[in-house]
Amino acid sequence: MDGDLRHVADLFARHPKTTLAALFGPQHGFRSDVQDNMIETGHGEDCTRRVPVYSLYSETREPTAEMLDGIDVLVIDLQDVGSRIYTFIYTMANCLIACRKHGVKAIVCDRPNPIAGADVEGPMLVQGFESFVGQYQIPMRHGMTIGEVAQLFNTEFGIGADLEVVEMQGWTRGMYFDITGLPWVMPSPNMPTLETAVVYPGAVLFEGTNVSEGRGTTRPFEITGAPWPIAERFAEQMNALRLGGVLFRPAVFEPTFQKHAKTACAGCQMHVLDRRAFKPVEAGVALIAAYRAADPTKFAWRQPPYEYEHTKMPIDILAGSSELREQIDGGMKARDIARSWTTSVDAFVRTRERYLLY
């Protein structure tokens, strides 16, 4: 959408110098209407614009030669949320790969990183743990715009497409989305607000556990819980950790679908009071450790399959290796776990510098 909530497809369809030939949809569908992981969408036709709609979360996650037939330029305009896990950047990467294979120019329309582009945090993806929630070796919170990520993938990881990035005007690295003046439009069903995006880089790790990440509530990823904790005691223990920029409110809720559907879950809601002091990945790790400590006999790591990976543990492909799971199981404190990322994050920051546009 543009600032007046006009869809980019309509802008191209109405432009006198362009012909809209086809539309492509990432995970969750072209209209962002499909819930959860491994729920594929089919191909179809857009009844308004009268063009085919190809799903890149179907039997293929890369545009085929047939899909690109007759297309001179593939325009990639996606709203990323600043986390390695969010699959839109891999749909973009797969489009760049297809464009290189089939001789099609790619244009990436840059958009704000909604959680700003200054901070980098979290474990790095380790070779051998690649998946559709982590195709390339970057940290959990990468601190880049989607245009910058496109340049990183295209050059650093050798995709080699004919790529042009259309830069933003007026955006600076410290800007969160609500400072841009642009309206927030949900990029996917469980990313309803900017507050969701702020906590997501850490709270998404709950997808690798049997603890509810709040899917089936109106505040996914901000609210987490399970049937076994006592909410007040749990929140009190989390607040005692004095994590930067966040308070934890006791919460009891019933998810309407997914984990523990229609079952009372106790836990907490994260209330981020100072975004710049808040470390979402460290907070997510601390929460998981606390749910595990609340009852180690009931807490469990989710079993595969997850995002088309049928062997490796979901938490391992989310975290980028088995190390985080082993650290939590070994009783390591969240702050110490966060310190263990420092060397690899610092190395990534030096690489990242070569691709920053702002």
Side-chain angles (χ1 to χ4, degrees):
M1 297 290 181
D2 71 2
D4 295 320
L5 296 178
R6 296 175 298 180
H7 199 285
V8 63
D10 293 325
L11 299 179
F12 278 115
R14 294 167 187 166
H15 197 285
K17 294 184 179 180
T18 60
T19 301
L20 183 67
L23 298 169
F24 295 82
Q27 183 180 7
H28 306 293
F30 175 71
R31 298 184 181 278
S32 300
D33 58 332
V34 181
Q35 289 279 354
D36 216 344
N37 304 303
M38 292 179 66
I39 300 178
E40 296 179 345
T41 50
H43 311 299
E45 182 177 351
D46 188 279
C47 60
T48 303
R49 304 170 189 100
R50 302 292 181 183
V51 293
V53 180
Y54 297 118
S55 170
L56 299 181
Y57 197 72
S58 57
E59 78 282 355
T60 181
R61 292 194 287 279
E62 180 183 311
T64 64
E66 292 75 21
M67 293 175 183
L68 294 173
D69 185 41
I71 291 176
D72 302 303
V73 178
L74 183 65
V75 178
I76 303 166
D77 188 1
L78 291 167
Q79 179 58 64
D80 184 38
V81 298
S83 173
R84 182 183 71 224
I85 304 303
Y86 207 64
T87 62
F88 287 5
I89 57 175
Y90 306 120
T91 294
M92 174 184 68
N94 292 344
C95 285
L96 294 178
I97 291 168
C99 285
R100 191 229 336 132
K101 285 180 183 177
H102 305 296
V104 175
K105 180 180 176 64
I107 294 178
V108 172
C109 299
D110 209 2
R111 286 187 173 270
N113 182 329
I115 59 173
D119 293 329
V120 178
E121 186 200 4
M124 289 282 288
L125 177 74
V126 174
Q127 193 170 9
F129 286 85
E130 295 88 353
S131 71
F132 196 53
V133 291
Q135 286 185 192
Y136 299 101
Q137 294 172 43
I138 61 175
M140 188 71 79
R141 182 180 182 182
H142 51 67
M144 304 177 80
T145 68
I146 195 166
E148 293 169 339
V149 171
Q151 294 191 145
L152 175 78
F153 287 174
N154 199 49
T155 301
E156 195 71 24
F157 296 105
I159 294 176
D162 179 6
L163 168 66
E164 176 184 347
V165 176
V166 180
E167 296 183 24
M168 295 179 284
Q169 296 178 2
W171 188 80
T172 58
R173 305 212 72 80
M175 293 175 69
Y176 282 75
F177 197 88
D178 52 1
I179 302 174
T180 66
L182 297 170
W184 178 266
V185 176
M186 294 190 297
S188 58
N190 287 291
M191 196 62 61
T193 67
L194 172 59
E195 286 73 20
T196 319
V198 168
V199 302
Y200 180 81
V204 68
L205 292 168
F206 279 97
E207 293 187 9
T209 74
N210 66 341
V211 178
S212 170
E213 65 271 18
R215 290 180 188 270
T217 77
T218 57
R219 309 299 288 196
F221 300 106
E222 292 179 74
I223 294 175
T224 57
W228 58 86
I230 298 171
E232 288 75 14
R233 185 182 302 167
F234 185 86
E236 182 180 352
Q237 291 170 345
M238 287 304 303
N239 285 321
L241 297 176
R242 298 190 178 278
L243 299 178
V246 63
L247 287 178
F248 299 87
R249 179 184 63 82
V252 177
F253 60 96
E254 288 189 8
T256 58
F257 60 86
Q258 224 229 33
K259 296 176 192 171
H260 309 299
K262 306 293 195 298
T263 300
C265 291
C268 61
Q269 180 176 352
M270 281 188 278
H271 292 266
V272 178
L273 306 180
D274 183 349
R275 296 169 181 168
R276 299 188 187 283
F278 177 59
K279 302 295 183 187
V281 187
E282 182 181 342
V285 170
L287 278 165
I288 291 174
Y291 282 109
R292 186 185 185 282
D295 194 332
T297 66
K298 293 180 180 176
F299 174 87
W301 300 110
R302 181 175 174 176
Q303 297 298 308
Y306 174 78
E307 278 299 350
Y308 302 97
E309 170 58 54
H310 294 268
T311 304
K312 293 184 179 68
M313 296 283 283
I315 187 63
D316 294 354
I317 62 170
L318 284 161
S321 76
S322 62
E323 185 177 29
L324 178 65
R325 172 172 54 84
E326 293 160 358
Q327 288 171 327
I328 293 173
D329 282 345
M332 196 170 176
K333 293 180 179 179
R335 281 206 172 96
D336 294 329
I337 292 173
R339 289 190 191 101
S340 73
W341 307 326
T342 303
T343 301
S344 58
V345 166
D346 288 348
F348 172 77
V349 167
R350 291 192 292 272
T351 300
R352 162 182 172 269
E353 285 291 331
R354 298 197 288 270
Y355 303 99
L356 301 184
L357 297 170
Y358 313 92

